[in-house]
């Protein structure tokens, strides 16, 4: 079945957000960071193709225990070995203790770390989002890349129906969108947690950087965003 316009844009955004996150991780590794945490990893493949493993980058994948067990089975079925640089940490964002789960997996909270948190924030409640960001901000030298979506009313009227339909489809499969943010709101919250270096890219900025869109295209705050936030050095 062919994808509709909203689904096509979503797929492109998913590819671009991964590229942005891994670009930022590469910059962090060049500064000496040797711990990467992928929050809500699911079937993310970065750890399987970690280009920095010889430099000592350890990757911690955080997700539900059941999801991780499923992933390990699938890797085994297709003959892919789990790299020595990858460690699984089973944590439920809504009810678990992220710090404890990571420490139990060998993560060192006294060393700088880079967190990748993609495709997760919209599906969590505000309290779980705040707790996770607060934890990351408290780690000296921490940095996080995550994505978020704006409220439906921020979209122009001609786009609201297709976005609402997309949200309905995710809810039907048991993954309703729970949290949305305005850009100025998330910026304020991040600074309140202690993040000082914040970069927020909307659709127009991402298109200009990665998709060859011409300079001078109108900026639009509507739609998904990807944000990089760094804490204390």
């Amino acid at each position: 079945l062919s994808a509709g316009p909203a689904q096509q844009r979503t797929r492109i955004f998913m590819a671009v957000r991964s590229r942005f996150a891994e670009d930022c991780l590469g910059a962090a590794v060049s500064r000496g960071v040797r711990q990467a945490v992928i929050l809500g990893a699911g079937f993310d493949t970065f750890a399987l193709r970690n280009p920095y493993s010889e430099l000592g980058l350890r990757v911690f994948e955080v997700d539900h225990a059941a999801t991780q067990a499923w992933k390990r089975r699938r890797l085994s079925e297709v003959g892919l070995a789990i790299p020595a640089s990858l460690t699984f940490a089973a944590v439920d964002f809504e009810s678990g203790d992220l710090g404890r789960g990571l420490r139990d997996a060998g993560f060192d909270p006294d060393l700088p770390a880079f967190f990748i948190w993609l495709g997760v924030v919209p599906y969590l409640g505000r309290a779980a989002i705040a707790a996770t960001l607060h934890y990351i901000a408290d780690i000296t030298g921490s940095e996080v890349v995550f994505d978020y979506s704006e409220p439906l009313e921020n979209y122009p009227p001609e786009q609201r129906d297709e976005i609402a339909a997309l949200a309905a489809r995710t809810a039907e499969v048991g993954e309703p969108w729970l949290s949305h943010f305005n850009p100025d709101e998330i910026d304020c919250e991040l600074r309140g947690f202690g993040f000082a270096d914040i970069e927020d890219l909307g659709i127009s900025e991402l298109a200009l950087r990665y998709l060859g869109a011409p300079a001078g295209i109108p900026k639009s705050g509507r739609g998904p965003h990807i944000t990089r936030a760094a804490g204390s050095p």
Side-chain angles (χ1 to χ4, degrees):
L1 294 176
S2 60
Q7 291 172 302
Q8 290 176 341
R9 285 193 292 269
T10 297
R11 291 175 182 176
I12 293 171
F13 177 74
M14 290 170 67
V16 169
R17 73 186 182 189
S18 293
R19 168 67 187 276
F20 176 80
E22 293 183 21
D23 284 351
C24 292
L25 172 57
V29 170
S30 71
R31 296 192 298 270
V33 173
R34 293 297 182 265
Q35 297 186 115
V37 181
I38 303 179
L39 300 171
F43 283 98
D44 188 273
T45 63
F46 175 80
L48 302 178
R49 50 187 172 79
N50 178 2
Y52 313 111
S53 59
E54 293 186 359
L55 296 176
L57 180 70
R58 295 189 63 190
V59 179
F60 298 86
E61 288 196 2
V62 177
D63 215 325
H64 291 279
T67 301
Q68 292 179 336
W70 184 24
K71 181 175 187 176
R72 294 175 82 128
R73 285 197 303 272
R74 288 295 298 137
L75 291 175
S76 177
E77 289 167 1
V78 298
L80 291 175
I82 297 173
S85 58
L86 169 60
T87 302
F88 292 95
V91 179
D92 184 325
F93 289 106
E94 293 286 3
S95 60
D97 186 323
L98 176 60
R100 178 180 299 173
L102 281 171
R103 286 194 305 273
D104 289 347
F107 177 82
D108 189 342
D110 294 323
L111 295 177
F114 189 93
F115 291 77
I116 296 176
W117 198 18
L118 303 179
V120 181
V121 167
Y123 304 97
L124 296 177
R126 289 292 187 102
I129 296 168
T132 301
L133 290 172
H134 189 276
Y135 170 76
I136 296 171
D138 279 350
I139 298 172
T140 300
S142 67
E143 190 169 1
V144 60
V145 169
F146 67 95
D147 59 315
Y148 70 92
S149 59
E150 293 192 46
L152 182 62
E153 59 267 23
N154 285 18
Y155 288 84
E158 63 272 15
Q159 287 186 357
R160 290 177 191 168
D161 286 347
E162 66 180 29
I163 299 302
L166 184 59
R169 284 193 291 272
T170 66
E172 286 175 359
V173 298
E175 295 185 342
W177 292 348
L178 300 178
S179 296
H180 305 275
F181 296 90
N182 286 302
D184 57 348
E185 177 186 16
I186 195 68
D187 182 83
C188 182
E189 292 201 16
L190 289 169
R191 294 187 188 281
F193 289 128
F195 291 104
D197 179 11
I198 300 170
E199 182 179 16
D200 185 294
L201 300 177
I203 292 296
S204 296
E205 292 87 354
L206 289 169
L208 180 62
R209 180 174 301 190
Y210 291 110
L211 303 177
I217 60 173
K219 289 188 175 182
S220 171
R222 311 177 191 99
H225 289 244
I226 188 161
T227 298
R228 179 190 62 81
S232 56

